[in-house]
């Protein structure tokens, strides 16, 4: 995706400034069916996988065996915008990493579930805790382990480079790859579907 297709004001390292200092995908309706937009309009809880969704799926190791993950500030901006307009956010991932805890804390994501090898159980417990139906929940994933949630939520999404079996079962596939703006694209779409996109944008144009 050419950089020119993403409208940007300025870019700061802190996600506290992301929502105000980075722009929004100008092609938010591209590829989204009316049915997908209708489903997105019902989302009160958006859940994110980590590896391959919030990151590019790569695992980077230092000389001492320390592990690093690469996150995208545009994604962080989108998550903060969802929160601003009343959408709960959560992480459900099979891996366990302190890096994820730090990233979630920086984004204000309070529902963080790591080491979730049975994602269905974790999802059902989280939805019950928040008194939400599956139809009010959304999830974005990339691989087979995400299917138990994807086939249950009201709004299921996959990243551009997701597994073919995931692609066949979701309501929306992003044009951006995991770790490269896929989450921001999805967040913008939800904001648009719920009628908040123009409000979010206008606050940065005055």
């Amino acid at each position: 995706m050419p950089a020119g297709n993403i409208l940007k004001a300025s870019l700061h390292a802190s996600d506290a400034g992301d929502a105000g200092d980075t722009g929004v995908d100008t092609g938010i309706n591209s590829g989204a069916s009316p049915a997908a937009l209708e489903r997105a309009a019902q989302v009160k809880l958006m859940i994110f996988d980590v590896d391959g969704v919030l990151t590019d799926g790569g695992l980077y190791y230092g000389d001492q065996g320390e592990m690093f993950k690469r996150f995208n500030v545009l994604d962080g901006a989108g998550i903060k915008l969802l929160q601003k307009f009343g959408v709960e956010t959560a992480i459900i991932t099979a891996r366990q990493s302190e890096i994820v805890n730090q990233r979630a804390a920086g984004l204000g994501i309070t529902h963080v579930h790591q080491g979730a090898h049975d994602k269905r159980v974790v999802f059902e417990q989280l939805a019950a805790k928040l008194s939400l139906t599956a139809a009010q929940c959304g999830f974005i994933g990339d691989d087979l382990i995400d299917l138990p949630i994807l086939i249950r939520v009201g709004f299921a999404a996959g990243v551009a480079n997701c597994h073919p079996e995931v692609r066949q079962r979701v309501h929306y596939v992003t044009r951006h790859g995991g770790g490269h703006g896929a989450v921001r694209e999805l967040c913008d779409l939800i904001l648009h579907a719920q009628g908040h996109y123009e409000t979010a944008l206008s606050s940065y144009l005055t």
Side-chain angles (χ1 to χ4, degrees), residues 58-197:
L59 297 177
Y60 307 93
Y61 290 91
D63 292 338
Q64 305 302 315
E66 65 274 31
M67 185 176 67
F68 304 92
K69 295 177 187 283
R70 174 190 175 277
F71 294 95
N72 189 303
V73 293
L74 285 174
D75 292 345
I79 289 172
K80 283 188 168 291
L81 281 171
L82 284 187
Q83 296 166 348
K84 178 180 179 179
F85 288 98
V87 177
E88 291 271 3
T89 55
I91 285 173
I92 297 180
T93 177
R95 288 184 175 273
Q96 188 83 37
S97 171
E98 179 57 29
I99 301 170
V100 173
N101 287 331
Q102 294 177 23
R103 179 61 171 160
L107 295 177
I109 301 175
T110 57
H111 307 289
V112 181
H113 301 272
Q114 298 198 68
H117 296 286
D118 189 339
K119 293 191 174 186
R120 177 187 63 81
V121 171
V122 176
F123 161 65
E124 291 177 344
Q125 291 174 343
L126 177 59
K129 176 182 178 181
L130 297 176
S131 299
L132 296 174
T133 65
Q136 295 173 305
C137 300
F139 181 70
I140 179 168
D142 69 320
D143 209 346
L144 302 182
I145 193 172
D146 301 315
L147 288 174
I149 300 182
L150 289 169
I151 63 175
R152 288 173 168 81
V153 294
F155 181 50
V159 297
N161 53 328
C162 66
H163 192 283
E165 296 294 341
V166 170
R167 181 178 291 269
Q168 292 178 18
R169 291 169 172 81
V170 297
H171 307 115
Y172 181 75
V173 177
T174 65
R175 289 167 293 124
H176 296 77
H180 294 279
V183 166
R184 180 56 181 273
E185 176 186 335
L186 187 73
C187 292
D188 286 345
L189 186 145
I190 293 171
L191 290 170
H192 175 79
Q194 297 188 0
H196 301 308
Y197 181 83

